């Protein structure tokens, strides 16, 4: 019977009576999102904006604010952070920090990224903002800046709190911000096993994909009785990094299998193509300038996310000024690179002047005329 049904389905597809669409990934979760890092494009989603409890995946935002503080110079990885009684008493997933102990920011990042330490999160929050409540205000402010419209944070750990919610899409947004602008976070999120307290305390990563999925780069697990099993998983292959968010899986294994299915679906179906001219760009002549030409360059590096079938159909065309008159400003647009896929324009990237070309002064024009005149009569 199954063979008969399969045969009929095949005949219908061949006859064009049914759409030949690739099946989506098989996932067992309340909500999922698959996003590409560079472009931010969503490749797959189910219930992407449903408000759900994120459990410890909340800590992606905590990690983001810590990494931003490092970039700003507010702290260094060697900064020693004290542990308060409040931080030491957090419970839940922890590394059993004691009141009065001090840990470096480096060790705090390990504790949060690898062991999901609630105590480390609160200690860092108190150090950076004075209190967890003040830190949570910063978390919500940053969420608004990132366009996380489905999110309300009530703590920095993800411990159950009524009204502490986000969505799969919002988690993808903050995960992208973290890995795109702070790639050094991989130093911590790719650790499988490590230690604290000079080897006295063992750490094992709660994200099993780090060991068992080729190309895994992070990022954060979470689970509570009410949130069920959650995960923001990142992985990179062939220069493309994907973010797979899974919320509300019934078991721990289900969340990892769902993330693997999402990642496999993305890597099998899409690739990043770098937009570039098909041949080198020639200098553009400049009249009345201190130099006779200016080199056009792309205003920005650009990559396009395409299905594997489209990647071979990319072509480019150029529109460039034939000549320019000085003055020419550095960064002045002098043309456009048009990127087409199967004849349809997908992106237009400005070409700009690589350097400034000042206009000749009257004296410089006179000197140039004299030089041309006398050189022209020289034997």
């Amino acid at each position: 019977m199954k063979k008969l049904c399969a045969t009929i389905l095949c005949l219908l597809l061949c006859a064009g009576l049914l759409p030949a669409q690739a099946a989506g990934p098989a996932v067992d979760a309340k909500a999922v999102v698959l996003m590409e890092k560079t472009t931010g494009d969503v490749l797959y989603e189910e219930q992407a904006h449903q408000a759900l409890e994120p459990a410890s995946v909340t800590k992606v935002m905590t990690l983001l604010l810590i990494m931003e503080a490092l970039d700003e110079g507010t702290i260094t990885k060697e900064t020693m952070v004290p542990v308060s009684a409040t931080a030491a008493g957090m419970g839940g997933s922890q590394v059993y920090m004691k009141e009065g102990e001090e840990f470096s920011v480096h060790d705090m990042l390990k504790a949060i990224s690898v062991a999901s330490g609630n105590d480390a999160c609160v200690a860092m929050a108190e150090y950076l903002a004075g209190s967890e409540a003040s830190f949570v205000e910063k978390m919500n402010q940053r969420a608004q800046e990132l366009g996380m419209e489905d999110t309300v944070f009530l703590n920095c750990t993800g411990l159950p709190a009524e009204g502490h919610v986000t969505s799969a899409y919002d988690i993808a947004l903050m995960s992208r911000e973290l890995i795109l602008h702070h790639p050094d976070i991989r130093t911590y999120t790719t650790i499988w096993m490590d230690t604290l307290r000079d080897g006295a305390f063992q750490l094992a990563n709660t994200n099993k994909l780090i060991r068992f999925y080729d190309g895994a780069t992070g990022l954060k697990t979470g689970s509570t009785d009410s949130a069920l099993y959650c995960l923001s998983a990142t992985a990179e292959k062939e220069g493309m990094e994907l973010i797979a968010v899974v919320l509300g899986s019934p078991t721990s294994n289900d969340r990892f299998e769902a993330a693997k299915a999402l990642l496999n679906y993305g890597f099998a179906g899409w690739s990043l193509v770098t937009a570039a001219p098909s041949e080198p760009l020639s200098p553009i002549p400049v009249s009345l300038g201190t130099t006779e030409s200016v080199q056009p360059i792309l205003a920005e590096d650009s990559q396009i996310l395409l299905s594997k079938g489209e990647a071979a159909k990319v072509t480019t065309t150029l529109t460039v000024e034939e000549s320019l008159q000085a003055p020419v400003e550095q960064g002045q647009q002098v043309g456009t690179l048009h990127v087409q896929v199967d004849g349809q324009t997908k992106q237009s990237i400005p070409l700009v002047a690589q350097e400034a070309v000042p206009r000749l002064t009257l004296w410089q024009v006179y000197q140039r005329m004299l030089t041309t005149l006398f050189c022209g009569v020289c034997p």
Side-chain angles (χ1 to χ4, degrees), residues 125-327:
E126 292 174 338
Y127 188 83
L128 289 173
S131 68
E132 184 185 7
S134 295
F135 187 80
V136 171
E137 289 181 11
K138 293 179 180 293
M139 292 172 68
N140 285 309
Q141 179 182 346
R142 195 71 182 93
Q144 291 179 1
E145 293 168 355
L146 293 175
M148 297 169 59
E149 298 179 356
D150 310 317
T151 298
V152 177
F153 291 123
L154 297 179
N155 57 55
C156 66
T157 59
L159 285 168
E162 187 175 353
H164 182 99
V165 294
T166 185
S167 66
Y169 179 76
D170 282 5
I171 289 172
L173 286 180
M174 66 178 178
S175 299
R176 176 177 183 253
E177 184 72 12
L178 178 60
I179 64 175
L180 180 63
H181 297 294
H182 308 281
D184 191 40
I185 194 65
R186 288 187 181 192
T187 304
Y188 303 97
T189 58
T190 56
I191 293 172
W192 175 238
M193 299 190 75
D194 209 320
T195 62
L196 292 175
R197 301 185 178 93
D198 297 322
F201 188 86
Q202 299 292 318
L203 299 175
N205 204 318
T206 57
N207 181 6
K208 305 309 176 188
L209 297 185
I210 294 302
R211 183 174 181 183
F212 298 109
Y213 188 84
D214 183 36
T217 57
L219 189 61
K220 192 68 199 72
T221 61
S223 65
T224 64
D225 290 344
S226 52
L228 302 179
Y229 292 88
C230 308
L231 174 66
S232 178
T234 57
E236 183 176 27
K237 293 182 181 180
E238 299 179 355
M240 180 173 71
E241 192 164 12
L242 300 180
I243 303 157
V245 179
V246 179
L247 294 180
S249 280
T251 71
S252 179
N253 187 62
D254 286 333
R255 69 177 164 185
F256 293 126
E257 290 303 312
K260 287 194 291 184
L262 287 164
L263 293 169
N264 289 340
Y265 175 80
F267 288 125
W270 281 269
S271 60
L272 276 178
V273 175
T274 300
S278 56
E279 56 188 46
L281 296 171
S282 299
I284 302 172
V286 179
S287 61
L288 299 177
T290 55
T291 57
E292 295 182 352
S293 65
V294 68
Q295 180 63 46
I297 59 172
L298 288 174
E300 58 188 18
D301 293 332
S302 183
Q303 292 182 301
I304 304 173
L305 185 67
L306 300 172
S307 68
K308 290 289 177 71
E310 291 178 316
K313 302 176 182 178
V314 176
T315 58
T316 59
T317 57
L318 288 169
T319 56
V320 185
E321 297 286 350
E322 292 184 3
S323 63
L324 297 166
Q325 188 175 91

Side-chain angles (χ1 to χ4, degrees), residues 299-379:
E300 58 188 18
D301 293 332
S302 183
Q303 292 182 301
I304 304 173
L305 185 67
L306 300 172
S307 68
K308 290 289 177 71
E310 291 178 316
K313 302 176 182 178
V314 176
T315 58
T316 59
T317 57
L318 288 169
T319 56
V320 185
E321 297 286 350
E322 292 184 3
S323 63
L324 297 166
Q325 188 175 91
V328 178
E329 296 180 4
Q330 184 179 27
Q332 176 181 324
Q333 184 167 350
V334 295
T336 306
L337 174 70
H338 304 281
V339 184
Q340 294 100 12
V341 179
D342 201 17
Q344 300 293 317
T345 299
K346 287 284 187 178
Q347 198 169 48
S348 296
I349 307 167
L351 298 173
V352 298
Q354 186 175 34
E355 63 280 321
V357 180
R359 188 179 180 89
L360 290 170
T361 64
L362 287 174
W363 175 243
Q364 288 172 321
V365 172
Y366 180 66
Q367 285 182 310
R368 182 173 289 186
M369 290 175 61
L370 288 176
T371 302
T372 303
L373 176 63
F374 283 107
C375 286
V377 297
C378 290

Side-chain angles (χ1 to χ4, degrees), residues 11 54 108 119 135 259:
L11 289 171
M108 290 290 190
D119 40 9
F135 187 80

Side-chain angles (χ1 to χ4, degrees), residues 54-71:
S56 283
V57 182
T58 297
K59 295 182 174 84
V60 171
M61 180 59 80
T62 302
L63 289 169
L64 175 60
L65 293 186
I66 295 171
M67 296 303 291
E68 289 178 343
L70 282 167
D71 281 357

